[in-house]
Amino acid sequence: MSASILDGVMLAGKVRESVAADVKSWVERGYRAPKLQVILVGENPASSAYVGAKTRACEDVGIESDTLILPDTISEIELTEVIGDFNRDEATDGILVQLPIPAHITPLSVIEAIDYRKDVDGFHPMNVGRMSVGQPCFRPCTPAGIIEMLRHYSIPTKGKHAVVVGASNIVGSPAAILLSRENTTGKATTTICHKFTKDLTKHTISADILIVAVGQPGLVTGQMVKEGVVVIDVGITRVADHTTERGYRLTGDCDFDSVSEKASWITPVPGGVGPMTVAMLMKNTLLAAKKSIYPR
Ligand code: NAD
């Protein structure tokens, strides 16, 4: 078997087109354009690139955005005070603190400082909790993008075995929650693997749907998956490559050549989950502006 490609660029384009049309009609009805406030702490080149992609997407769909760049010496208290100002600002609909943040600041403290009604990343415990019990919430953008992708390509999940490799709060764990909910999305039987999992292959080989979000290029090879598996490779790692102009290329967690020989569907890296993440952020920001999830 040679896998078909799950085209994140094409699908993200469709999602963004639909958000752009909704923003246009929202503004035509007399409301101000949605506004996303991005906070970037320090100068991590990958983070700056992600923020650039997000703010360009905002511009593309008619969402206003502003990026506040703070020094990496800022204290946790100062950062939460800045967030508090945006929480109180009526003209700010969504707030996003680009992760990772410097090690002296606890990420969850920062996330909890964001008003959950403006938490368009969907990382606040209020949104995570509501997602876990199937209540309306801001769903985290990467897992929501994965679900959207499976839905668009009519890939059945009900009763399938979904294996998620990686258990972070922002990708692996929420992806597993969404896939396993029996009353809403997913309806899959779900296994979560992480760095303490013994014999990873024992789990990956039985996956009908395999989601890999670790950040280790080549972790999953063709020998670790079964024929016909659907593979969602979330990993994005910069690997030095002097043949490219930038001096690096982006690589996923799967050995694409050997895995795609056995898979029925696979996401490329780049061009798979990454663009979907940005598109779902646009969707969440519009929902925040319309107060669709938390009416006030
Ligand atoms: P993280 O570092 O927070 O978590 C990594 C997870 O992988 C942990 O649960 C850890 O236990 C697990 N792990 C580590 N080694 C393992 C091993 N050998 N076997 C099994 N599990 C192992 O990472 P994250 O923030 O979830 O990101 C994961 C990857 O996804 C990174 O490459 C990141 O850049 C990428 N990412 C991509 C997008 C996107 O939009 N495509 C969004 C977020 C993150």
Side-chain angles (χ1 to χ4, degrees):
M1 182 173 287
S2 180
S4 303
I5 295 293
L6 295 163
D7 185 347
V9 175
M10 175 280 299
L11 183 54
K14 279 184 188 282
V15 174
R16 279 161 64 155
E17 262 173 40
S18 131
V19 172
D22 281 0
V23 169
K24 189 164 174 279
S25 67
W26 178 249
V27 171
E28 279 169 3
R29 282 162 54 197
Y31 298 101
R32 62 167 175 74
K35 172 151 183 226
L36 175 67
Q37 180 64 50
V38 179
I39 300 172
L40 180 59
V41 186
E43 287 179 14
N44 176 333
S47 293
S48 303
Y50 292 140
V51 165
K54 290 169 186 177
T55 52
R56 280 194 301 280
C58 283
E59 201 176 328
D60 185 41
V61 301
I63 291 176
E64 259 185 55
S65 74
D66 184 37
T67 304
L68 177 64
I69 302 174
L70 296 168
D72 59 9
T73 50
I74 192 165
S75 71
E76 190 170 301
I77 291 179
E78 286 167 325
L79 180 55
T80 54
E81 281 170 2
V82 170
I83 292 169
D85 289 341
F86 291 123
N87 284 342
R88 287 182 290 276
D89 178 22
E90 291 274 320
T92 299
D93 299 301
I95 302 171
L96 178 159
V97 178
Q98 182 64 43
L99 301 177
I101 46 179
H104 66 276
I105 304 176
T106 313
L108 250 182
S109 306
V110 172
I111 289 164
E112 283 196 288
I114 298 172
D115 183 337
Y116 63 87
R117 294 164 297 191
K118 299 189 178 190
D119 168 41
V120 286
D121 253 343
F123 297 160
H124 191 289
M126 175 67 110
N127 285 308
V128 177
R130 289 175 67 93
M131 179 183 68
S132 307
V133 293
Q135 284 291 95
C137 62
F138 292 113
R139 293 184 307 164
C141 302
T142 303
I146 293 170
I147 297 290
E148 181 67 21
M149 209 170 214
L150 295 171
R151 199 194 55 77
H152 174 84
Y153 282 95
S154 305
I155 291 168
T157 54
K158 186 173 165 188
K160 300 290 180 186
H161 186 202
V163 175
V164 182
V165 185
S168 72
N169 286 344
I170 64 168
V171 188
S173 293
I177 292 171
L178 287 175
L179 281 162
S180 63
R181 292 292 305 161
E182 65 174 326
N183 297 322
T184 45
T185 47
K187 301 179 173 66
T189 303
T190 306
T191 301
I192 309 181
C193 304
H194 43 62
K195 62 184 168 208
F196 301 115
T197 298
K198 290 179 188 150
D199 192 357
L200 186 60
T201 303
K202 191 176 110 194
H203 303 284
T204 56
I205 200 88
S206 71
D208 301 309
I209 297 167
L210 180 64
I211 298 182
V212 193
V214 172
Q216 277 180 33
L219 176 70
V220 173
T221 62
Q223 287 173 328
M224 297 169 68
V225 300
K226 71 176 178 190
E227 284 287 335
V229 62
V230 175
V231 178
I232 310 282
D233 189 349
V234 184
I236 304 179
T237 304
R238 289 185 175 198
V239 176
D241 183 346
H242 299 296
T243 64
T244 67
E245 207 175 298
R246 301 183 292 189
Y248 67 87
R249 66 192 151 77
L250 299 177
T251 309
D253 289 337
C254 296
D255 174 47
F256 186 86
D257 290 345
S258 65
V259 173
S260 60
E261 265 176 37
K262 289 171 91 178
S264 53
W265 293 94
I266 191 166
T267 54
V269 178
V273 179
M276 289 304 293
T277 299
V278 178
M280 299 319 275
L281 175 67
M282 300 300 106
K283 211 167 171 174
N284 277 352
T285 306
L286 175 62
L287 290 172
K290 290 171 126 177
K291 302 189 174 29
S292 308
I293 292 169
Y294 299 110
R296 281 192 257 185

